[in-house]
């Protein structure tokens, strides 16, 4: 069905206008839904349930980190869509967000939203927004680093004054130390 919808036919639809939705999809169905969506470069929204760690490789890690296996598997599922190669075969990459639905509505309340974005830069608005976000993040990181390491604009001046101050302190100490020697 999806191949007919976004194919090259007379009535085909732009993949950017397609959203595949899976609600309460078991782990393997969530994975398959996202995999098929990425093969066609369409948007996807999945509300996973019955998450399983089939080979047990993540269960211990989740326990150590204090993350329930359902939440960990959802994060890993979202990560698959953020992979560098997911969607590349059709010229897209995915911007992935996770949202929470009120637990009163459903206990399986983590929604994985995957937006297909063109790799070739034709989606200039999204690209500019992404670049702006990266620039803002870099500036925040620089400020945090400076705060954490107490860097200020006066640091260079303080360094240039510290060596002469140390030498003067040493000389003064040598001069007055004989005054304090026991006789």
């Amino acid at each position: 069905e999806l191949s007919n919808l976004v194919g090259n036919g007379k009535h085909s639809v732009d993949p950017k206008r397609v959203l595949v939705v899976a609600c309460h999809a078991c782990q393997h169905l969530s994975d398959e839904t996202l995999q098929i969506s990425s093969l066609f470069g369409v948007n996807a929204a999945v509300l996973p349930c019955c998450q399983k760690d089939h080979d047990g490789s993540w269960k211990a890690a989740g326990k150590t980190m204090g993350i329930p296996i359902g939440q960990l598997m959802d994060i890993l599922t979202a990560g698959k869509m953020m992979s560098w190669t997911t969607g590349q075969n059709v010229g897209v990459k995915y911007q992935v967000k996770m949202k929470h639905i009120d637990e009163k509505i459903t206990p399986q309340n983590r929604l994985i939203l995957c937006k297909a974005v063109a790799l070739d830069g034709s989606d200039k608005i999204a690209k500019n927004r992404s670049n702006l976000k990266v620039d803002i993040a870099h500036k925040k990181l620089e400020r945090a680093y400076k705060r954490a390491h107490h860097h200020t604009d006066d640091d260079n001046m303080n360094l240039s004054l510290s060596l002469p101050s140390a030498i003067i302190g040493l000389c003064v100490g040598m001069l007055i130390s004989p005054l304090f020697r026991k006789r």
Side-chain angles (χ1 to χ4, degrees):
E1 298 291 328
L2 199 52
S3 60
N4 293 332
L5 184 64
V6 296
N8 293 326
K10 185 170 115 178
H11 300 289
S12 65
V13 176
D14 181 1
K16 288 185 214 172
R17 298 182 53 88
V18 176
L19 173 65
V20 175
V21 178
C23 186
H24 290 274
C26 294
Q27 183 71 48
H28 69 282
L29 292 175
S30 293
D31 288 344
E32 287 177 19
T33 299
L34 294 174
Q35 184 179 19
I36 291 168
S37 297
S38 72
L39 291 174
F40 289 94
V42 299
N43 304 302
V46 176
L47 186 74
C49 75
C50 309
Q51 299 90 338
K52 302 274 188 273
D53 181 13
H54 295 290
D55 64 4
S57 59
W58 291 100
K59 195 171 188 176
K63 200 172 202 175
T64 301
M65 294 184 285
I67 302 172
I69 194 66
Q71 290 176 8
L72 182 58
M73 296 309 292
D74 288 350
I75 291 168
L76 292 169
T77 300
K80 290 177 197 175
M81 288 302 284
M82 294 172 67
S83 164
W84 290 313
T85 57
T86 301
Q88 240 181 8
N89 61 324
V90 289
V92 299
K93 64 179 179 177
Y94 283 89
Q95 294 176 345
V96 180
K97 293 182 178 184
M98 289 185 73
K99 298 287 183 176
H100 286 86
I101 296 173
D102 190 344
E103 276 187 2
K104 294 174 191 168
I105 297 170
T106 177
Q108 299 296 335
N109 61 347
R110 290 173 302 278
L111 180 62
I112 302 170
L113 302 168
C114 307
K115 180 180 179 184
V117 179
L119 280 175
D120 64 4
S122 63
D123 191 349
K124 291 185 180 174
I125 293 172
K127 187 175 182 180
N128 288 341
R129 189 176 299 134
S130 178
N131 288 341
L132 181 61
K133 286 181 179 179
V134 169
D135 289 344
I136 290 169
H138 279 285
K139 288 177 183 172
K140 285 181 179 179
L141 186 59
E142 284 177 5
R143 286 193 305 266
Y145 181 84
K146 285 181 179 180
R147 276 194 312 271
H149 297 284
H150 306 292
H151 287 280
T152 65
D153 293 335
D154 297 330
D155 280 351
N156 290 335
M157 187 176 76
N158 291 341
L159 288 174
S160 64
L161 292 175
S162 63
L163 182 60
S165 298
I167 292 172
I168 291 170
L170 180 65
C171 292
V172 169
M174 289 172 59
L175 288 173
I176 63 169
S177 65
L179 300 173
F180 294 100
R181 281 192 195 149
K182 289 185 180 177
R183 294 183 189 200

